Amino acid sequence: MSARSLDHLRQSFPGRWGLTPAEVAEVLKGRRSRGVVQRVRERMKSGDLPGARKIDGKLQLPLPDLAEILEPTTCAPVVARTSASGSAPKPSRRRSRIGPRVAFIRAGQFWELVTRGLGLDDLAAELAAKWKSERDEMRREYAESVAERLAGELPEGAEREKRGPI
């Protein structure tokens, strides 16, 4: 925490040890609109703004904790990893491949029923074939991934017993 930030907050709010959500919104966002104050209040309740607590039934954030939010203390310098090209790697968000496929299947089932209801049986059959082939492809990929995981768990030279249906 910067002593300069804490001194500035103490000068701006003399005699106060903590600030209300509206005052915190004013310090952090520069405005006190209803939406901004509500978002700050929610962040205080959820713990996104650490140190916030209820005093006499009112949610307040102590000045030292707000000063820490404004200018965080750094314990050690952050060293960015660089790739061979010399640029820092960009953070990537891993995206699921299955979500859009499941959405496609559900939408296909819905539109198949709609087209059948409208009497467009040829189009309904075409839609059914498309979503069913996507479903079968997902099932095949899942079965292959399970088989790969199970094959990796077996010790070398061990053969799997053949079992009948469960």
Side-chain angles (χ1 to χ4, degrees):
M1 159 184 61
S2 169
R4 187 173 52 93
S5 312
L6 184 57
D7 289 339
H8 178 69
L9 287 171
R10 285 184 176 152
Q11 287 174 359
S12 299
F13 301 96
R16 303 278 306 276
W17 69 270
L19 302 180
T20 64
E23 294 165 335
V24 173
E26 180 74 32
V27 171
L28 292 179
K29 304 292 183 181
R31 56 181 196 248
R32 287 185 179 207
S33 67
R34 180 188 288 176
V36 172
V37 172
Q38 184 62 32
R39 284 190 295 275
V40 168
R41 184 177 292 113
E42 291 301 319
R43 288 182 64 198
M44 289 171 77
K45 286 180 182 178
S46 70
D48 286 344
L49 296 176
R53 54 185 151 266
K54 277 196 172 184
I55 304 295
D56 294 331
K58 293 183 180 181
L59 195 60
Q60 296 186 1
L61 183 65
L63 291 177
D65 292 329
L66 182 57
E68 179 67 30
I69 291 168
L70 291 171
E71 291 185 37
T73 306
T74 55
C75 298
V78 177
V79 178
R81 293 184 181 171
T82 58
S83 62
S85 66
S87 63
K90 295 180 182 175
S92 63
R93 182 176 163 201
R94 185 175 178 182
R95 298 183 190 272
S96 172
R97 288 184 54 226
I98 196 165
R101 296 171 80 182
V102 171
F104 171 79
I105 291 170
R106 287 182 178 163
Q109 291 171 336
F110 170 77
W111 287 110
E112 177 194 359
L113 292 173
V114 169
T115 53
R116 283 204 196 283
L118 293 173
L120 304 170
D121 293 332
D122 294 337
L123 182 59
E126 186 179 333
L127 287 171
K130 285 182 181 180
W131 73 258
K132 286 178 181 177
S133 68
E134 184 67 27
R135 181 196 60 198
D136 294 341
E137 178 69 19
M138 284 179 56
R139 287 180 177 172
R140 185 189 57 76
E141 288 176 7
Y142 177 74
E144 287 174 356
S145 69
V146 169
E148 287 175 10
R149 276 187 278 154
L150 290 176
E153 293 176 3
L154 287 176
E156 286 187 33
E159 292 186 26
R160 189 176 304 265
E161 296 177 24
K162 290 189 177 181
R163 295 182 183 177
I166 296 177

